[in-house]
Amino acid sequence: SLLYTNWSKKQELAQAEFNNLVAMIETKEDSIDAHLLYADEAGAAPIVSETQALLTSLPQKTKEQQEIYSRLAARLTAVSDKIQKLVKVNQADKLYDFKGLGINNLIFAGGKIYAAAASTIYELTPGASSTAQTAINGANNLVKPFFDKTERLYYQDGGKIAQINIKTKASSLINITDLDQNDLTSFNIFNANLYTLAQTKNQIYRFSRSGSSFTAKSDWLKDTADFSQASSIGIDGDVYVLKSDGSVLKFRKGLKVEYTAGALSPAMTSANKLIVGTNYLYIFEASSKRLAVLAKKDGHLVNQY
């Protein structure tokens, strides 16, 4: 009888603690809703973290506890996704199967998709059942595609830049004078000049176009910057540098500009592609299958897919 009484008291105490914990979680979730009602994501975010910590400590020993946990977790996930502007795409349409061709990159340009493998570029019109292909003479490994938004596609090919006109299909390899291949973490072409991101040297180099070569290498960056985690560069007059955590640095005339595009949440660890659009920045991380869209004007998060 004493053992049973003690056990009953422990059960009652455990249930009371469980109920109190649930009440605390529900109160915090209501507080999150209140912040979101006034579009205060910044105020809601720390409460989400506190609620997630409380939820982790919630017992799941009985079926009833598991059901309560699932209900609270689903609600918290929904508000967390809302704060992080996370849109989950569960179904994607298959456009074409490049299997077996050795494709290692894709780019959308001029209404078509271009896929590169070794020295060959495959051209696919969305909705078509076949592709056209163009081989670039002398090329060996076409990587890091870049479209200049007019009619030219560029690829890095070792220590050279491969160029193809998507209308005429004319192609060529452009030599880069005084290039260390370690200086080619990423590249961009703007106003006929080549800009290369040198991660290990914390520098952005500019090369001028002269005939069939890029020459006259110069240090474009006049400010100090840490590019140890930099992965991609984009230019629209200003220069944007993507870091592996999804944060973006902005530079103008060689100097750093204050910019609010900080690290993303959920955290990115290997963001690897930046595209600069007219109004938005697009950040892609292949490992997490995630695309983040930022407002270019001030760097605030618009959506994540």
Side-chain angles (χ1 to χ4, degrees):
S1 178
L2 286 173
L3 287 173
Y4 178 76
T5 300
N6 288 335
W7 177 82
S8 296
K9 288 181 178 179
K10 287 180 179 179
Q11 291 297 103
E12 290 174 2
L13 182 60
Q15 185 63 43
E17 290 177 348
F18 179 84
N19 292 340
N20 287 336
L21 194 52
V22 169
M24 289 174 63
I25 293 171
E26 289 177 334
T27 299
K28 285 188 175 293
E29 289 186 337
D30 290 340
S31 179
I32 294 169
D33 288 340
H35 280 280
L36 293 180
L37 183 63
Y38 295 96
D40 181 18
E41 286 88 357
I47 306 175
V48 169
S49 298
E50 294 168 7
T51 311
Q52 287 171 334
L54 286 174
L55 191 62
T56 302
S57 63
L58 193 68
Q60 300 180 64
K61 295 179 180 179
T62 68
K63 184 178 180 180
E64 181 185 10
Q65 289 177 342
Q66 292 168 4
E67 290 174 350
I68 292 173
Y69 176 89
S70 297
R71 172 176 60 81
L72 295 172
R75 185 182 174 191
L76 187 60
T77 297
V79 296
S80 180
D81 287 352
K82 188 173 181 179
I83 291 170
Q84 296 167 335
K85 302 184 185 300
L86 199 61
V87 179
K88 295 179 180 177
V89 182
N90 297 314
Q91 182 65 42
D93 295 329
K94 182 176 178 179
L95 291 177
Y96 193 80
D97 190 349
F98 286 108
K99 186 178 180 180
L101 297 178
I103 300 299
N104 59 36
N105 60 77
L106 293 170
I107 189 168
F108 187 76
K112 297 183 180 181
I113 296 169
Y114 293 86
S119 62
T120 302
I121 299 172
Y122 296 87
E123 177 187 310
L124 171 67
T125 301
S129 58
S130 61
T131 65
Q133 63 186 68
T134 303
I136 297 184
N137 292 331
N140 295 298
N141 186 33
L142 300 172
V143 296
K144 301 177 182 176
F146 168 73
F147 180 51
D148 68 1
K149 296 182 176 66
T150 58
E151 56 187 29
R152 288 178 293 275
L153 270 178
Y154 298 90
Y155 294 84
Q156 179 188 347
D157 183 60
K160 299 181 179 180
I161 298 295
Q163 170 186 284
I164 180 170
N165 186 304
I166 61 176
K167 293 182 179 179
T168 66
K169 310 307 177 189
S171 64
S172 61
L173 285 177
I174 309 172
N175 293 310
I176 308 174
T177 303
D178 194 24
L179 174 74
D180 179 343
Q181 287 198 42
N182 292 325
D183 298 345
L184 254 175
T185 303
S186 177
F187 78 92
N188 216 262
I189 293 174
F190 186 77
N191 285 343
N193 294 319
L194 170 68
Y195 294 80
T196 67
L197 172 64
Q199 181 193 60
T200 59
K201 297 178 182 176
N202 296 320
Q203 183 57 262
I204 296 170
Y205 294 113
R206 179 171 59 194
F207 297 80
S208 300
R209 181 72 181 264
S210 177
S212 59
S213 298
F214 285 112
T215 61
K217 177 182 178 180
S218 62
D219 294 355
W220 180 83
L221 187 64
K222 302 177 181 67
D223 219 335
T224 57
D226 179 10
F227 290 161
S228 60
Q229 302 299 316
S231 59
S232 187
I233 186 174
I235 304 175
D236 66 352
D238 293 327
V239 173
Y240 302 83
V241 175
L242 173 67
K243 300 178 73 173
S244 57
D245 63 1
S247 60
V248 177
L249 304 175
K250 183 177 180 179
F251 302 89
R252 181 175 296 153
K253 296 181 179 180
L255 301 175
K256 190 173 182 179
V257 176
E258 287 298 322
Y259 202 55
T260 57
L264 295 167
S265 176
M268 281 188 175
T269 57
S270 54
N272 57 309
K273 181 67 177 178
L274 171 68
I275 294 177
V276 178
T278 304
N279 297 310
Y280 302 102
L281 302 179
Y282 301 88
I283 297 169
F284 184 63
E285 183 178 54
S287 60
S288 65
K289 301 184 178 74
R290 181 153 42 123
L291 174 69
V293 183
L294 310 182
K296 187 169 69 172
K297 182 179 179 180
D298 59 11
H300 80 265
L301 178 64
V302 176
N303 265 326
Q304 298 189 77
Y305 301 91

